[in-house]
Each structure stands twice: as C-alpha cells, then as structure tokens.
C-alpha cells in the first residue's frame, strides 16, 4: 500500500514537471521577430551614445493561439545581435555585454502574452551589443530568446538588414548637416518611389539646392565611373576616401567634371519607370535651352534600393537632336 502511494506521488511530480517544462518551452513556430532602423541616417564607428544605431524590434504572433514569451528587463538577456562583413568576418560583442553574461546575477523578466495577429515592439541601440570600430558594409540580424538567453534551445531569427558604416569625419572635415533652405528643416531621406526620387533630384538641381540634390545620389558610385579616380580611390585610406568624395562633390558643384549629371534642364518629362525589389531605372527626356536652339536628351537613371530608400548610383545619356 505504501509502495503504491509512493509511486502515485512520483507520478504526480513527473506530471507537474512535464507541465512546467512544456510551459517554459512553448510552441514558437508561429512567432516571428523582425528588425528595422528607427531613423535611418548616416552611421559612423565609435561611441554608442554619440553615434547610436537604433534598431526597432518587433515580435509578432502569426498563429491563432495565444503566444507567451519572457522578456528580460535588461534586454541583453533576451536577444543577440550579429553583424558580418562581406568577407563573413563577425563583429565582436561589447565588453559590457560579455561582463553581464559572465557575472552571476538575478535576471528580472516579465511574461508577455500576444493574441493572434498582435505585436510587441521595443527599441535597442545596436552599439550596446556590438563593437563597431571600422567603416564597412555589414549584414545585421538578430536572435531572440523567448525563454531568455540562458535557455538557448529556443530562439527566433530576424530578417537581415544592411548596415553601411561610413568613415568618421576627421577634425578637418566639415560637420555640416544638410538642411532644407526655405525652412531650415534637417534633410532626411524618405521612402519615395524611384521616379519621385529622380523628379526631386532634377528639381533640386534646377533650383541649385545642392543639399537636396545630393540627398538621393550615391556620390561614391559616381566617382568610380571615372577610371582614374576609381583606381586611386580603392588604394587609399578610409579618411582619404572621404576627402576624395568631398572634393568630387565640390568639383561637381563648380561644373568642373561630369557635366551631364549636373546639367540644368529647362524642362523635363519622365517617360518610363521600371524596377524590381532592389534595382530600378527611370527614363527621362530633358531639354536644354541655348541662345539659338534647344537640345533634347534622354537620361536613363539607375537606382538601387536599401531598406526602402532608392538611391541614384549611375546614369546613361543619349542625344536626341535639336529642336
């Protein structure tokens, strides 16, 4: 009788343990996590406070059942960022993150419950997690741990973002922030369609609004169209490259080089726009007025898209005769 009672107690304990285990390792097959930049801008290496990279993180319930997960008050115990160069070199974690995870401490958390279709979002500074010391193009992704960092058996992978880190402006470089002339509003790139990007760029050139003109132009790619400049550019330091780009922009503004891209049309007409998720072309007829005649040209602007922003990186010009 005592043996049977003892066996019954063990069975109850095992059943309770299985219940707890199943609750703590729930079904996350219908959960997803996504990331995007909160305010896409130019990013530089260095200090997390002065040069932050703010990332908007969203956990979503794509299923029909209630989704429950744990979220640590200190997000370092709920997620990991990973960033790789094009050569697959992985960025190191910050000393602060390593210290946190190797020190015995109590991790406070709360349980989040999401009904079908609901989302939970928060924002983190990437530089609190990863040491970004060198300018480069990185590929960024996030791993989320719904049962906290120490329970790594369950994790969710995010989408991948491109992180373009530019060389830090040197002490001799200009720290000028581009603004809209009529309102002094700080200029920011917007998620415009390719034809709208081209239209705004041409209109800015007609009005000699150089900050607005360069807003959607990849000056580095235009510089590399010049074979001599490209050969030099790929051999110099990051700081010297930045100086070359600024010098090239100055030459453009003074009509010293590449006259086709900075020529000012009297009028223009967008003829055709085609694009895929990442590449686009916009064909524009442009008319240039001279004292005794008007010249018509066809411009084919080539654009690429990153995180919703279309940028002009190349162009082709064809003469269509005079009128």
């Amino acid at each position: 009788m005592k043996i049977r009672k003892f066996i019954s107690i063990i069975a109850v304990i095992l059943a309770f343990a299985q219940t707890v285990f199943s609750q703590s390792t729930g079904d996350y097959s219908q959960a997803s996590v996504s990331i995007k930049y909160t305010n896409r801008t130019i990013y530089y290496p260095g200090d997390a406070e002065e040069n932050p990279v703010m990332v908007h993180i969203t956990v979503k319930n794509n299923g029909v059942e209630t989704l429950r997960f744990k979220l640590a008050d200190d997000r370092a115990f709920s997620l990991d960022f990973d960033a790789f160069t094009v050569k697959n070199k992985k960025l190191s974690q910050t000393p602060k993150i390593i210290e946190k995870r190797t020190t015995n401490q109590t991790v406070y958390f709360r349980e989040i419950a999401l009904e079908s279709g609901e989302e939970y979002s928060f924002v983190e500074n990437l530089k609190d997690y990863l040491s970004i010391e060198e300018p480069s193009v990185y590929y960024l992704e996030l791993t989320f741990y719904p049962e906290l960092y120490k329970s790594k058996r369950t994790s969710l992978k995010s989408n991948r973002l491109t992180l373009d880190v530019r060389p830090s402006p040197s002490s001799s470089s200009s720290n000028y922030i581009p603004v809209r002339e009529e309102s002094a509003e700080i200029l920011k790139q917007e998620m415009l369609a390719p034809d709208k990007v081209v239209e705004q760029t041409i209109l800015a050139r007609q009005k000699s609004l150089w900050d607005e003109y360069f807003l959607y132009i990849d000056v580095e790619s235009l510089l590399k169209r010049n074979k001599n400049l490209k050969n030099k550019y790929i051999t110099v330091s990051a700081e010297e490259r930045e100086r070359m780009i600024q010098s090239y922009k100055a030459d453009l503004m003074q009509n010293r080089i590449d006259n086709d891209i900075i020529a000012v049309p009297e009028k223009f007409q967008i003829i055709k726009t085609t694009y895929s998720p990442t590449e686009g072309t916009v064909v524009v007829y442009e008319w240039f007025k001279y004292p005794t005649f008007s010249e018509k040209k066809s411009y084919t602007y080539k654009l690429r898209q990153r995180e919703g922003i279309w940028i002009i990186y190349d162009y082709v010009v064809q003469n269509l005769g005079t009128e």
Side-chain angles (χ1 to χ4, degrees), residues 116-131:
S116 177
E118 289 185 340
E119 301 177 346
Y120 184 87
S121 298
F122 53 96
V123 174
E124 288 294 296
N125 184 354
L126 172 65
K127 289 188 177 180
D128 287 336
Y129 295 79
L130 298 178
S131 296

Side-chain angles (χ1 to χ4, degrees), residues 165-192:
V165 179
R166 299 294 181 91
S168 296
S170 65
S171 57
S172 60
S173 299
S174 170
N175 291 322
Y176 176 75
I177 299 175
V179 298
R180 200 178 303 278
E181 286 195 4
E182 61 268 26
S183 63
E185 175 189 1
I186 296 176
L187 290 171
K188 295 179 181 179
Q189 293 172 332
E190 299 177 3
M191 292 184 179
L192 304 177

